[in-house]
Amino acid sequence: MPNPPIGFAHGLTLAAASRIAEVTLAKGRELGLAPLTVVVLDQAAQPKALLREDGASLLRPEIAMGKAFGAMALGFGGRELARRSAKMPGFMNAFSDLCGGRAVPVPGGVLVRDASGTILGAVGVSGDASDKDEVCAVAGIEAAGLVADTGDPE
Amino acid sequence: MPNPPIGFAHGLTLAAASRIAEVTLAKGRELGLAPLTVVVLDQAAQPKALLREDGASLLRPEIAMGKAFGAMALGFGGRELARRSAKMPGFMNAFSDLCGGRAVPVPGGVLVRDASGTILGAVGVSGDASDKDEVCAVAGIEAAGLVADTGDPE
Amino acid sequence: MPNPPIGFAHGLTLAAASRIAEVTLAKGRELGLAPLTVVVLDQAAQPKALLREDGASLLRPEIAMGKAFGAMALGFGGRELARRSAKMPGFMNAFSDLCGGRAVPVPGGVLVRDASGTILGAVGVSGDASDKDEVCAVAGIEAAGLVADTGDPE
Amino acid sequence: MPNPPIGFAHGLTLAAASRIAEVTLAKGRELGLAPLTVVVLDQAAQPKALLREDGASLLRPEIAMGKAFGAMALGFGGRELARRSAKMPGFMNAFSDLCGGRAVPVPGGVLVRDASGTILGAVGVSGDASDKDEVCAVAGIEAAGLVADTGDPE
């Protein structure tokens, strides 16, 4: 697709999103993790790519999407959302209701930034422990030459 | 618009709502806050004006609207809603369900009153810490010659 | 705001969205139309600016948002959505259910493109007859130096 | 992944689903179609793979998913769903409500069968005219060595 079609702009291309998704799963295989589901959302929090490994349980796509959606909705990686969930349960419960339960505020939701810091989208991974899910998302994002923001101060 | 159109009554004019929204954002710039979203609701809790700064994250309009809607729904500023959330979580959870998750009970939702105390609408601001959001809303309301009610006793 | 904050990218700035909204309403006043509501959505179909004139009826914000949302959802201006509604009612009814009733497929929803044809967002206007609403949206978009796509072939 | 993880059964493997999705998009490029979105659902109507091309409009993932979901929900390809929509609008409207608007009864939703006729899942494609979307889905399914059922008698 050398000439991108005229239409919606795309900070995050399908090529980048596919690369992120594939490397995320490869990292999970390398680490011997449980079957993973990965979703890559664009700036509109709409999916560019989703892959679910064989053996993954039923709601893994919704959970992976929820991690990435939460990050996009508030503009923080999942670790910051988890901290706010602990410190501000009233707000986070209201936020969950506000978005119809679409946000999952735990690690494994990772913002995708370009070199200048602009948010291009977010990756959500679900299947193993949240911090292991996150390791895979970070590997995927970095393999695409982009910057992962987990919600922890650097 | 010298001759107002005949139609629905308006305690809160578009002129006042626009002034509130613009000064709210200007205050945020003056204080160096994160990108803000401001919404001004009328007596029916319907928007008169909304402005979202560049760089604000995805769900900020819903959160700003939720703060203002919560204030209109129960007739208290966001600080009182936050207190009730802490003291009466059963009621506030039921209330959240009752209104389909549309209310966000935290500071930054500020009632707009006229000099006689009548509620004309509410302002919701989201983007930075809740108390800083609130400072901007109050500045906006006062710049329009109206009275801000944050939910704290004066 | 000379240095845009680092965060979410913005094809459509608040400055452009505000200009669009203000000129849209000014056009309505010039033409003597009924009170208008205008909303400007970005690439994520989230509001950048909304203004509702005094006297506008209750659900005008939702209708204006629905016109703009429908255009963004399918990537066509409201005139094309109206044609499809007439020709493909089964699909358009399913689409309405799919998006929870958020799309209003009539003129007055106008895509905002840049000079290269990229879609930056959409404008929705409601209050008078749909084709008059549309005239105002087009005036607003052009005043911001952008290209209006009503869904009619040029 | 030589040793598949123990977990949920998978008639449709990720390997097959990825192949279907990639060939579907390649077919669209070969035919010069508008940007496509493809989703591959398994027997539980949960996504195994989703890819959205650059330039695709906002709701294409939901529409593609709706085509595939409708096919899985009733066990017919999209062409049969479209016929029933025309002949039995009362039932199809009730069905749409029943599933919360998740089904889109038009061509481009194609069942995936194995050689024995067992349904393994469904593919949904959205972006161009429905019958062109369908051509791409069929190409993808056949490239994976599986049988496409569009809802038309063979």
Side-chain angles (χ1 to χ4, degrees), chain A residues 43-45 69 71-76 84 88 90-91 93-95 97-99, chain B residues 57-60 62-63 66-67 85 93 96-97 100-106 130:
Chain A
Q43 290 181 339
F69 178 81
M72 290 304 292
L74 293 179
F76 301 114
R84 292 185 179 218
M88 309 156 64
F91 173 73
N93 287 345
F95 170 65
D97 289 350
L98 185 73
C99 62
Chain B
S57 73
L58 205 70
L59 264 277
R60 295 296 166 185
E62 282 83 352
I63 296 170
K67 291 184 183 188
S85 229
N93 287 345
S96 180
D97 290 349
R102 291 174 64 200
V104 178
V106 296
S130 284

mmCIF file of all heavy atoms in Angstrom, chain A residues 43-45 69 71-76 84 88 90-91 93-95 97-99, chain B residues 57-60 62-63 66-67 85 93 96-97 100-106 130:
data_model
loop_
_atom_site.group_PDB
_atom_site.id
_atom_site.type_symbol
_atom_site.label_atom_id
_atom_site.label_comp_id
_atom_site.label_asym_id
_atom_site.label_seq_id
_atom_site.Cartn_x
_atom_site.Cartn_y
_atom_site.Cartn_z
ATOM 1 N N GLN A 43 -5.750 6.474 17.994
ATOM 2 C CA GLN A 43 -6.054 7.679 18.773
ATOM 3 C C GLN A 43 -7.530 7.821 19.106
ATOM 4 O O GLN A 43 -7.890 8.555 20.028
ATOM 5 C CB GLN A 43 -5.604 8.917 18.003
ATOM 6 C CG GLN A 43 -4.093 9.018 17.936
ATOM 7 C CD GLN A 43 -3.640 10.244 17.199
ATOM 8 O OE1 GLN A 43 -4.399 10.804 16.419
ATOM 9 N NE2 GLN A 43 -2.419 10.660 17.437
ATOM 10 N N ALA A 44 -8.371 7.161 18.357
ATOM 11 C CA ALA A 44 -9.805 7.212 18.630
ATOM 12 C C ALA A 44 -10.233 6.067 19.543
ATOM 13 O O ALA A 44 -11.422 5.865 19.754
ATOM 14 C CB ALA A 44 -10.596 7.160 17.320
ATOM 15 N N ALA A 45 -9.257 5.302 20.064
ATOM 16 C CA ALA A 45 -9.542 4.126 20.892
ATOM 17 C C ALA A 45 -10.321 3.070 20.113
ATOM 18 O O ALA A 45 -11.059 2.286 20.695
ATOM 19 C CB ALA A 45 -10.256 4.505 22.186
ATOM 20 N N PHE A 69 -8.341 0.783 26.449
ATOM 21 C CA PHE A 69 -9.324 1.871 26.434
ATOM 22 C C PHE A 69 -9.172 2.773 27.653
ATOM 23 O O PHE A 69 -9.246 4.003 27.555
ATOM 24 C CB PHE A 69 -10.750 1.312 26.373
ATOM 25 C CG PHE A 69 -11.796 2.377 26.405
ATOM 26 C CD1 PHE A 69 -12.134 3.067 25.251
ATOM 27 C CD2 PHE A 69 -12.422 2.717 27.599
ATOM 28 C CE1 PHE A 69 -13.087 4.078 25.291
ATOM 29 C CE2 PHE A 69 -13.371 3.724 27.652
ATOM 30 C CZ PHE A 69 -13.710 4.400 26.486
ATOM 31 N N ALA A 71 -6.529 3.403 29.320
ATOM 32 C CA ALA A 71 -5.336 4.239 29.139
ATOM 33 C C ALA A 71 -5.639 5.413 28.209
ATOM 34 O O ALA A 71 -5.250 6.557 28.484
ATOM 35 C CB ALA A 71 -4.182 3.396 28.597
ATOM 36 N N MET A 72 -6.331 5.137 27.112
ATOM 37 C CA MET A 72 -6.673 6.207 26.173
ATOM 38 C C MET A 72 -7.661 7.188 26.796
ATOM 39 O O MET A 72 -7.577 8.391 26.587
ATOM 40 C CB MET A 72 -7.296 5.622 24.907
ATOM 41 C CG MET A 72 -6.322 4.856 24.053
ATOM 42 S SD MET A 72 -4.866 5.812 23.566
ATOM 43 C CE MET A 72 -5.618 7.012 22.459
ATOM 44 N N ALA A 73 -8.622 6.683 27.531
ATOM 45 C CA ALA A 73 -9.690 7.533 28.058
ATOM 46 C C ALA A 73 -9.147 8.615 28.973
ATOM 47 O O ALA A 73 -9.561 9.777 28.892
ATOM 48 C CB ALA A 73 -10.719 6.681 28.800
ATOM 49 N N LEU A 74 -8.219 8.235 29.855
ATOM 50 C CA LEU A 74 -7.709 9.188 30.839
ATOM 51 C C LEU A 74 -6.321 9.696 30.497
ATOM 52 O O LEU A 74 -5.833 10.641 31.124
ATOM 53 C CB LEU A 74 -7.723 8.558 32.236
ATOM 54 C CG LEU A 74 -9.135 8.284 32.780
ATOM 55 C CD1 LEU A 74 -9.061 7.648 34.154
ATOM 56 C CD2 LEU A 74 -9.946 9.571 32.856
ATOM 57 N N GLY A 75 -5.660 9.050 29.506
ATOM 58 C CA GLY A 75 -4.348 9.541 29.106
ATOM 59 C C GLY A 75 -3.219 9.099 30.026
ATOM 60 O O GLY A 75 -2.189 9.777 30.113
ATOM 61 N N PHE A 76 -3.407 7.955 30.724
ATOM 62 C CA PHE A 76 -2.377 7.394 31.599
ATOM 63 C C PHE A 76 -2.228 5.906 31.316
ATOM 64 O O PHE A 76 -3.215 5.235 31.006
ATOM 65 C CB PHE A 76 -2.775 7.523 33.079
ATOM 66 C CG PHE A 76 -3.014 8.921 33.542
ATOM 67 C CD1 PHE A 76 -4.278 9.329 33.923
ATOM 68 C CD2 PHE A 76 -1.966 9.829 33.617
ATOM 69 C CE1 PHE A 76 -4.513 10.630 34.351
ATOM 70 C CE2 PHE A 76 -2.196 11.130 34.039
ATOM 71 C CZ PHE A 76 -3.464 11.536 34.410
ATOM 72 N N ARG A 84 -4.723 5.042 40.925
ATOM 73 C CA ARG A 84 -5.903 5.880 41.172
ATOM 74 C C ARG A 84 -7.089 5.058 41.664
ATOM 75 O O ARG A 84 -7.906 5.517 42.456
ATOM 76 C CB ARG A 84 -6.268 6.646 39.892
ATOM 77 C CG ARG A 84 -5.189 7.668 39.568
ATOM 78 C CD ARG A 84 -5.517 8.549 38.401
ATOM 79 N NE ARG A 84 -4.406 9.484 38.230
ATOM 80 C CZ ARG A 84 -4.523 10.750 37.881
ATOM 81 N NH1 ARG A 84 -5.712 11.255 37.628
ATOM 82 N NH2 ARG A 84 -3.471 11.518 37.765
ATOM 83 N N MET A 88 -8.537 6.542 44.757
ATOM 84 C CA MET A 88 -9.752 7.298 44.493
ATOM 85 C C MET A 88 -10.853 6.358 43.996
ATOM 86 O O MET A 88 -11.324 6.486 42.858
ATOM 87 C CB MET A 88 -9.474 8.350 43.409
ATOM 88 C CG MET A 88 -8.254 9.242 43.666
ATOM 89 S SD MET A 88 -7.589 9.936 42.100
ATOM 90 C CE MET A 88 -8.985 10.949 41.570
ATOM 91 N N GLY A 90 -13.972 6.151 44.603
ATOM 92 C CA GLY A 90 -15.226 6.801 44.217
ATOM 93 C C GLY A 90 -15.169 7.300 42.782
ATOM 94 O O GLY A 90 -16.075 7.044 41.982
ATOM 95 N N PHE A 91 -14.092 7.976 42.451
ATOM 96 C CA PHE A 91 -13.955 8.479 41.084
ATOM 97 C C PHE A 91 -13.859 7.325 40.087
ATOM 98 O O PHE A 91 -14.519 7.343 39.046
ATOM 99 C CB PHE A 91 -12.715 9.383 40.945
ATOM 100 C CG PHE A 91 -12.454 9.774 39.523
ATOM 101 C CD1 PHE A 91 -13.263 10.703 38.895
ATOM 102 C CD2 PHE A 91 -11.429 9.174 38.786
ATOM 103 C CE1 PHE A 91 -13.055 11.044 37.556
ATOM 104 C CE2 PHE A 91 -11.214 9.509 37.457
ATOM 105 C CZ PHE A 91 -12.029 10.445 36.838
ATOM 106 N N ASN A 93 -14.893 4.239 40.314
ATOM 107 C CA ASN A 93 -16.175 3.542 40.137
ATOM 108 C C ASN A 93 -17.096 4.358 39.239
ATOM 109 O O ASN A 93 -17.767 3.813 38.354
ATOM 110 C CB ASN A 93 -16.852 3.294 41.491
ATOM 111 C CG ASN A 93 -16.166 2.201 42.292
ATOM 112 O OD1 ASN A 93 -15.369 1.432 41.749
ATOM 113 N ND2 ASN A 93 -16.465 2.148 43.577
ATOM 114 N N ALA A 94 -17.130 5.652 39.482
ATOM 115 C CA ALA A 94 -17.975 6.512 38.641
ATOM 116 C C ALA A 94 -17.483 6.489 37.199
ATOM 117 O O ALA A 94 -18.279 6.431 36.252
ATOM 118 C CB ALA A 94 -17.968 7.945 39.181
ATOM 119 N N PHE A 95 -16.176 6.497 37.034
ATOM 120 C CA PHE A 95 -15.597 6.462 35.687
ATOM 121 C C PHE A 95 -15.978 5.153 34.975
ATOM 122 O O PHE A 95 -16.314 5.155 33.786
ATOM 123 C CB PHE A 95 -14.069 6.606 35.778
ATOM 124 C CG PHE A 95 -13.361 6.359 34.488
ATOM 125 C CD1 PHE A 95 -13.546 7.203 33.414
ATOM 126 C CD2 PHE A 95 -12.501 5.274 34.344
ATOM 127 C CE1 PHE A 95 -12.894 6.972 32.200
ATOM 128 C CE2 PHE A 95 -11.843 5.039 33.155
ATOM 129 C CZ PHE A 95 -12.042 5.885 32.076
ATOM 130 N N ASP A 97 -18.636 3.316 35.477
ATOM 131 C CA ASP A 97 -20.037 3.433 35.073
ATOM 132 C C ASP A 97 -20.167 4.375 33.868
ATOM 133 O O ASP A 97 -20.932 4.118 32.944
ATOM 134 C CB ASP A 97 -20.883 3.968 36.223
ATOM 135 C CG ASP A 97 -21.052 2.950 37.344
ATOM 136 O OD1 ASP A 97 -20.672 1.777 37.144
ATOM 137 O OD2 ASP A 97 -21.557 3.325 38.409
ATOM 138 N N LEU A 98 -19.411 5.472 33.919
ATOM 139 C CA LEU A 98 -19.489 6.502 32.870
ATOM 140 C C LEU A 98 -19.207 5.909 31.496
ATOM 141 O O LEU A 98 -19.831 6.275 30.499
ATOM 142 C CB LEU A 98 -18.461 7.597 33.157
ATOM 143 C CG LEU A 98 -18.477 8.807 32.232
ATOM 144 C CD1 LEU A 98 -19.682 9.676 32.518
ATOM 145 C CD2 LEU A 98 -17.207 9.625 32.406
ATOM 146 N N CYS A 99 -18.234 4.989 31.461
ATOM 147 C CA CYS A 99 -17.860 4.438 30.146
ATOM 148 C C CYS A 99 -18.458 3.045 29.954
ATOM 149 O O CYS A 99 -17.967 2.267 29.127
ATOM 150 C CB CYS A 99 -16.356 4.469 29.958
ATOM 151 S SG CYS A 99 -15.422 3.506 31.126
ATOM 152 N N SER B 57 -7.162 14.191 26.891
ATOM 153 C CA SER B 57 -7.387 12.777 26.568
ATOM 154 C C SER B 57 -8.851 12.520 26.220
ATOM 155 O O SER B 57 -9.712 13.386 26.357
ATOM 156 C CB SER B 57 -6.906 11.878 27.697
ATOM 157 O OG SER B 57 -7.772 11.940 28.799
ATOM 158 N N LEU B 58 -9.103 11.308 25.780
ATOM 159 C CA LEU B 58 -10.316 10.975 25.033
ATOM 160 C C LEU B 58 -11.623 11.201 25.781
ATOM 161 O O LEU B 58 -12.574 11.756 25.235
ATOM 162 C CB LEU B 58 -10.233 9.504 24.607
ATOM 163 C CG LEU B 58 -11.029 9.122 23.401
ATOM 164 C CD1 LEU B 58 -10.446 9.717 22.148
ATOM 165 C CD2 LEU B 58 -11.090 7.607 23.277
ATOM 166 N N LEU B 59 -11.706 10.725 27.025
ATOM 167 C CA LEU B 59 -12.993 10.764 27.739
ATOM 168 C C LEU B 59 -13.201 12.031 28.550
ATOM 169 O O LEU B 59 -14.138 12.100 29.357
ATOM 170 C CB LEU B 59 -13.106 9.534 28.647
ATOM 171 C CG LEU B 59 -13.866 8.347 28.064
ATOM 172 C CD1 LEU B 59 -15.362 8.501 28.245
ATOM 173 C CD2 LEU B 59 -13.518 8.072 26.619
ATOM 174 N N ARG B 60 -12.336 13.035 28.385
ATOM 175 C CA ARG B 60 -12.479 14.271 29.170
ATOM 176 C C ARG B 60 -13.835 14.939 28.977
ATOM 177 O O ARG B 60 -14.408 15.449 29.941
ATOM 178 C CB ARG B 60 -11.336 15.235 28.860
ATOM 179 C CG ARG B 60 -9.970 14.727 29.285
ATOM 180 C CD ARG B 60 -9.834 14.550 30.787
ATOM 181 N NE ARG B 60 -8.661 13.760 31.151
ATOM 182 C CZ ARG B 60 -8.386 13.392 32.388
ATOM 183 N NH1 ARG B 60 -9.190 13.697 33.402
ATOM 184 N NH2 ARG B 60 -7.305 12.678 32.651
ATOM 185 N N GLU B 62 -16.754 13.519 28.520
ATOM 186 C CA GLU B 62 -17.720 12.784 29.332
ATOM 187 C C GLU B 62 -17.502 13.044 30.825
ATOM 188 O O GLU B 62 -18.458 13.139 31.607
ATOM 189 C CB GLU B 62 -17.618 11.280 29.062
ATOM 190 C CG GLU B 62 -18.295 10.834 27.780
ATOM 191 C CD GLU B 62 -17.420 11.033 26.542
ATOM 192 O OE1 GLU B 62 -16.337 11.652 26.657
ATOM 193 O OE2 GLU B 62 -17.831 10.578 25.458
ATOM 194 N N ILE B 63 -16.240 13.124 31.243
ATOM 195 C CA ILE B 63 -15.954 13.345 32.662
ATOM 196 C C ILE B 63 -16.382 14.751 33.074
ATOM 197 O O ILE B 63 -17.031 14.928 34.117
ATOM 198 C CB ILE B 63 -14.456 13.108 32.954
ATOM 199 C CG1 ILE B 63 -14.102 11.640 32.683
ATOM 200 C CG2 ILE B 63 -14.124 13.476 34.409
ATOM 201 C CD1 ILE B 63 -12.611 11.346 32.715
ATOM 202 N N GLY B 66 -19.973 14.754 33.277
ATOM 203 C CA GLY B 66 -20.397 13.977 34.445
ATOM 204 C C GLY B 66 -20.308 14.769 35.731
ATOM 205 O O GLY B 66 -21.169 14.634 36.616
ATOM 206 N N LYS B 67 -19.277 15.603 35.843
ATOM 207 C CA LYS B 67 -19.160 16.418 37.053
ATOM 208 C C LYS B 67 -20.299 17.436 37.113
ATOM 209 O O LYS B 67 -20.917 17.634 38.165
ATOM 210 C CB LYS B 67 -17.807 17.145 37.060
ATOM 211 C CG LYS B 67 -16.599 16.232 37.249
ATOM 212 C CD LYS B 67 -15.316 17.074 37.335
ATOM 213 C CE LYS B 67 -14.070 16.203 37.453
ATOM 214 N NZ LYS B 67 -12.854 17.025 37.720
ATOM 215 N N SER B 85 -20.261 10.510 48.548
ATOM 216 C CA SER B 85 -19.693 9.283 47.989
ATOM 217 C C SER B 85 -18.934 8.519 49.059
ATOM 218 O O SER B 85 -19.000 7.292 49.141
ATOM 219 C CB SER B 85 -18.723 9.640 46.850
ATOM 220 O OG SER B 85 -19.001 8.879 45.711
ATOM 221 N N ASN B 93 -23.687 4.695 44.742
ATOM 222 C CA ASN B 93 -23.602 3.645 43.712
ATOM 223 C C ASN B 93 -24.952 3.456 43.024
ATOM 224 O O ASN B 93 -25.025 3.305 41.807
ATOM 225 C CB ASN B 93 -23.131 2.326 44.325
ATOM 226 C CG ASN B 93 -21.658 2.344 44.675
ATOM 227 O OD1 ASN B 93 -20.915 3.213 44.223
ATOM 228 N ND2 ASN B 93 -21.237 1.405 45.515
ATOM 229 N N SER B 96 -25.525 6.295 40.723
ATOM 230 C CA SER B 96 -24.745 6.149 39.492
ATOM 231 C C SER B 96 -25.473 5.216 38.516
ATOM 232 O O SER B 96 -25.595 5.508 37.321
ATOM 233 C CB SER B 96 -23.358 5.589 39.824
ATOM 234 O OG SER B 96 -22.591 5.440 38.647
ATOM 235 N N ASP B 97 -25.971 4.107 39.032
ATOM 236 C CA ASP B 97 -26.727 3.179 38.176
ATOM 237 C C ASP B 97 -27.998 3.845 37.661
ATOM 238 O O ASP B 97 -28.372 3.693 36.497
ATOM 239 C CB ASP B 97 -27.102 1.916 38.961
ATOM 240 C CG ASP B 97 -25.883 1.048 39.251
ATOM 241 O OD1 ASP B 97 -24.806 1.318 38.678
ATOM 242 O OD2 ASP B 97 -26.008 0.115 40.046
ATOM 243 N N GLY B 100 -27.463 5.934 34.746
ATOM 244 C CA GLY B 100 -26.687 5.324 33.665
ATOM 245 C C GLY B 100 -25.228 5.736 33.656
ATOM 246 O O GLY B 100 -24.605 5.806 32.605
ATOM 247 N N GLY B 101 -24.688 5.992 34.840
ATOM 248 C CA GLY B 101 -23.275 6.322 34.930
ATOM 249 C C GLY B 101 -22.937 7.733 34.502
ATOM 250 O O GLY B 101 -21.765 8.053 34.322
ATOM 251 N N ARG B 102 -23.943 8.583 34.364
ATOM 252 C CA ARG B 102 -23.667 9.921 33.818
ATOM 253 C C ARG B 102 -23.100 10.902 34.838
ATOM 254 O O ARG B 102 -22.736 12.013 34.465
ATOM 255 C CB ARG B 102 -24.942 10.513 33.209
ATOM 256 C CG ARG B 102 -25.391 9.795 31.953
ATOM 257 C CD ARG B 102 -26.725 10.334 31.476
ATOM 258 N NE ARG B 102 -26.652 11.731 31.087
ATOM 259 C CZ ARG B 102 -27.701 12.555 31.003
ATOM 260 N NH1 ARG B 102 -28.908 12.103 31.313
ATOM 261 N NH2 ARG B 102 -27.558 13.806 30.632
ATOM 262 N N ALA B 103 -23.077 10.525 36.130
ATOM 263 C CA ALA B 103 -22.629 11.477 37.159
ATOM 264 C C ALA B 103 -21.241 11.118 37.679
ATOM 265 O O ALA B 103 -20.955 9.951 37.926
ATOM 266 C CB ALA B 103 -23.621 11.491 38.320
ATOM 267 N N VAL B 104 -20.394 12.124 37.854
ATOM 268 C CA VAL B 104 -19.041 11.923 38.391
ATOM 269 C C VAL B 104 -18.905 12.791 39.642
ATOM 270 O O VAL B 104 -18.744 14.016 39.547
ATOM 271 C CB VAL B 104 -17.980 12.292 37.337
ATOM 272 C CG1 VAL B 104 -16.579 12.126 37.911
ATOM 273 C CG2 VAL B 104 -18.134 11.411 36.091
ATOM 274 N N PRO B 105 -18.974 12.167 40.834
ATOM 275 C CA PRO B 105 -19.115 12.938 42.083
ATOM 276 C C PRO B 105 -17.786 13.377 42.679
ATOM 277 O O PRO B 105 -17.390 12.901 43.740
ATOM 278 C CB PRO B 105 -19.829 11.936 42.996
ATOM 279 C CG PRO B 105 -19.306 10.600 42.546
ATOM 280 C CD PRO B 105 -19.026 10.726 41.064
ATOM 281 N N VAL B 106 -17.107 14.310 42.017
ATOM 282 C CA VAL B 106 -15.827 14.820 42.532
ATOM 283 C C VAL B 106 -15.762 16.326 42.310
ATOM 284 O O VAL B 106 -16.543 16.888 41.526
ATOM 285 C CB VAL B 106 -14.630 14.150 41.819
ATOM 286 C CG1 VAL B 106 -14.597 12.644 42.105
ATOM 287 C CG2 VAL B 106 -14.655 14.400 40.328
ATOM 288 N N SER B 130 -8.480 17.429 40.505
ATOM 289 C CA SER B 130 -9.850 17.923 40.643
ATOM 290 C C SER B 130 -9.930 19.305 41.283
ATOM 291 O O SER B 130 -10.741 20.138 40.861
ATOM 292 C CB SER B 130 -10.686 16.932 41.467
ATOM 293 O OG SER B 130 -11.015 15.810 40.686
#
